[in-house]
Amino acid sequence: MTVKRPEGIEDYNEPAGGWGALRAVAKTLAHQQVIAQGTATLLKANQPEGFDCPGCAWPDPKHTSSFEFCENGAKAITWESTAKRVGLDFFEAHTVSELWQWIDHKLEDQGRLTHPLIYNAKADRYEAIEWSAAFEIIGEQLRNLPDPDMAEFYTSGRASNEAAFLFQTFVRAYGTNNFPDCSNMCHEATSVGLPLSIGVGKGTVTLEDFDHADAIFSFGHNPGTNHPRMMTTLHEASRRGVPIIVFNPLKERALERFAAPQNPVEMVTLSSTPIASAYHQVRAGGDLAALKGLMKSIFERDAADIAAGGKGVLDRDFIAEHTVGIDALKADVEATDWAAILAVSGLTRDAIESAVDVYLNAKNVIVCYGMGLTQHSNGTANVQQVANLLMLRGNIGRQGAGIAPIRGHSNVQGDRTVGITEIPNDALIDGMERAFGFRPSATKGHNAIEAIEAISEGRSKALICLGGNLAVAMSDPDVTFAAMRKLDLAVHLATKLNRSHLLTAKTSLILPVLGRTDLDTQASGPQAITVEDSMSMVHASRGFLKPPSDQLKSEPAIIAGIAKATLGDRYGIDWDGLIANYDRIREKIEVVFPDFHDFNKRVRVHGGFRLDVAASDRRWNTETGKANFLLAPGLDEDPRIKDPNVLVMTTIRSHDQYNTTVYGLDDRYRGVFGRRDVIFMNRDDLAARGLADGDVIDVEAAYYESDVDRPRKAARRFTAVAYNIPQGAVAGYYPEMNSVVSLGHYDRKSGTPAYKGVPVRIVRSL
Ligand SMILES: Nc1nc2c(c(=O)[nH]1)N[C@H]1C(S)=C(S)[C@@H](COP(=O)(O)OP(=O)(O)OC[C@H]3O[C@@H](n4cnc5c(=O)[nH]c(N)nc54)[C@H](O)[C@@H]3O)O[C@H]1N2
Ligand SMILES: Nc1nc2c(c(=O)[nH]1)N[C@H]1C(S)=C(S)[C@@H](COP(=O)(O)OP(=O)(O)OC[C@H]3O[C@@H](n4cnc5c(=O)[nH]c(N)nc54)[C@H](O)[C@@H]3O)O[C@H]1N2
Ligand SMILES: [Mo]
């Protein structure tokens, strides 16, 4: 008997990848009307002399790329190189109030922006403006602010090293450190947590390390969708017999079974390779408990082994020579009892012991993790416990072993490296002084949440966004959207129209930019930009397509235009000279950050170069001079969750989206077609509420402290879908579910919003 499922919901039984992925690429090309030009574009992605795929930050091996088979890379590129345009006629035809009613997908699907635009409030329309006039208006308004700290400068992680470096140079010369950044909503827990543990806020492994790993652990990331080229690495590892142990509340198909489109045998025989050797469906927010469980078992086995006359299972030499704090960690873990660990993690003791068997049998272990660990109120603690787990066996700074945060945007790591930070350290300030002859302020600026708070409270009046869709990416649209409308000045450098642009300020401008795939020609000729991938490899990227309109400027050129109009010749910075030839920007980067020595030379070598990651060589840039075992007292994701009726909601990406960019309404591997208004729930949780698969429900936030005198945050009239997810956890799509996330719910250590640990109640819709 087949059970009838809700509209658009199916049980998906295919492996990930395979022909389905190739069919999806063809469909995307057709939809963006780029058949001929598009295929040529795809062949240049991640190739020497080509451009870096804007889809993700996973590295490529030096001589081969699996890019041509990457479905979601193809979507990212065709979305940018689309033949569709939003020209002046479009803005004449539609008022901003009308566009506000459109769904996010439709806004961006109109195509590439072609002209600089300014909002005319009387007509409620965006209208054309000359570049020089746009720069003058922005410059004048920034100069007239009583205090530079009343402006916010947001960076989204697609910006190149050159654009980001120039942006931070301009902003520091202007006089503030207010750098809200997409990273604040993403891997900030890594950037804050790991320096305290191991002295560097980045991963320690290289792509080659995966060839030498004896076991791979994966926490909270979905590579089949978000880092598709990583599937090639996992596929190879699995075929070599390397155990892959997954901790994820959802059974993500690509982590279960994957058919590599570049493998002729799998394609022709319709076979696939199992990826995870064990799949542990941890409860959303249960990772701290799971990690402590793993470590508790390791300490128990160590004691037992020593009692039996063995040498124990810890790497005692590494611990003695390289670390501090093992005794306190051991005491903390021993004081945590198993019953609590099992209840909070949602895992059985057998599951944890089996994962420990694998961990201890392997000489070299890599732990990979993504948003499932970082976007929690204890995100920093999660990341630090991963480092602890690895350090117990010396799995850091050795071939085939290490920590692998799987980054988000294709250059989010690079933007950070070249100075996008609200907390400039001495090295950065000294470097800026060396390069430009002025000493920037050391005062801490605003991160993303602090920026929204400042705008909301009227303390900040101007917002300049180097890409992104800040208002939609941020939690709490009730607060965030209202805040944006209070601004005096909002400026968006963008490729495509999005909702943030429609939250107009007194003065609002949209400045259209060249994308990664576009040819960027400056006074000295065609330019290349550089990016840094998840494994600290820096390499060049060159676009080659004819730009969507002759009005577009590159991001560096626009930043220079705003800088000149704002600062005049303050500090004698030669903005025009820097733009004429990006080599000159790179020369400045090298002066500020000595790690980039011989930048222009090394980036011209195919494959680029790796930045120094001290922890990879067991050099520890921490205050103790050692790697630190750090404590995370307690277990709970959120102490406010005390009511058994409360569930933990995690917010996830579908297979057809890039952050707030929604390419389409399917989520093929999860069996969802033509809709996004669904909430995945465990059958027992449905039954306990008298609900059934397909019922229409409301998701209401359950924040005890803040609910009292405010209307409850909610997302209404969504469809409950019975799904294989642990009891106590539910999942919905980002960004739709942001209306349930309170702005005040974030990791106190890193400021990362707790998008993956939202306390909610599910009730039948009225
Ligand atoms: N195609 C595509 N590529 C992308 C992006 C995109 O949107 N689309 N976004 C880019 C960006 S900016 C980023 S940051 C990355 C994001 O890449 P990921 O980190 O993979 O992002 P998410 O889809 O948010 O979800 C991660 C996974 O965590 C699991 N999860 C949820 N909650 C928990 C939890 O509490 N514990 C554990 N262990 N797991 C949990 C989810 O089931 C999901 O499998 O991808 C980048 N690449
Ligand atoms: N609930 C929930 N919220 C989340 C998350 C979650 O998992 N759950 N994830 C968070 C994460 S990890 C991140 S990184 C943020 C993402 O936050 P953002 O980085 O701000 O958002 P994006 O959706 O990537 O930005 C898309 C816009 O960028 C512009 N754009 C695209 N390419 C370019 C370019 O080359 N140059 C310029 N100048 N503009 C360009 C386009 O106009 C497009 O509309 O969202 C966060 N929000
Ligand atoms: Mo991200």
Side-chain angles (χ1 to χ4, degrees), residues 230-281:
M230 183 181 191
M231 291 313 304
T232 310
T233 304
L234 295 178
H235 187 262
E236 275 167 20
S238 167
R239 293 175 80 92
R240 269 199 297 125
V242 175
I244 299 174
I245 311 296
V246 174
F247 290 81
N248 192 315
L250 300 184
K251 283 260 181 126
E252 304 291 19
R253 179 46 48 98
L255 288 170
E256 293 185 286
R257 272 186 291 137
F258 185 72
Q262 66 268 47
N263 181 314
V265 175
E266 287 186 353
M267 291 301 277
V268 170
T269 60
L270 299 182
S271 59
S272 62
T273 300
I275 299 297
S277 49
Y279 209 119
H280 302 299
Q281 288 183 275

Side-chain angles (χ1 to χ4, degrees), residues 79-80 108 113 154-159 182-183 185-187 371 375 408-409 412 465-475 493-498 501 511 513-516 555 651-653 658-661 733-735 737-738 741 755-756:
W79 193 254
E80 180 175 295
E108 275 209 37
L113 292 156
Y154 176 70
T155 312
S156 170
R158 248 185 221 193
C182 76
S183 183
M185 299 176 264
C186 183
H187 261 294
M371 298 298 101
Q375 294 175 333
H409 268 298
V412 61
C465 294
L466 177 54
N469 189 1
L470 172 60
V472 177
M474 185 42 86
S475 22
L493 282 69
T495 49
K496 295 242 183 147
L497 183 64
N498 67 42
H501 309 159
L511 306 178
V513 303
L514 296 173
R516 283 275 170 85
E555 291 173 337
T651 60
I652 51 176
R653 291 157 165 81
Y658 195 94
N659 297 340
T660 69
T661 296
Y733 291 120
Y734 147 54
M737 286 299 127
N738 280 6
V741 189
Y755 298 122
K756 293 208 172 15

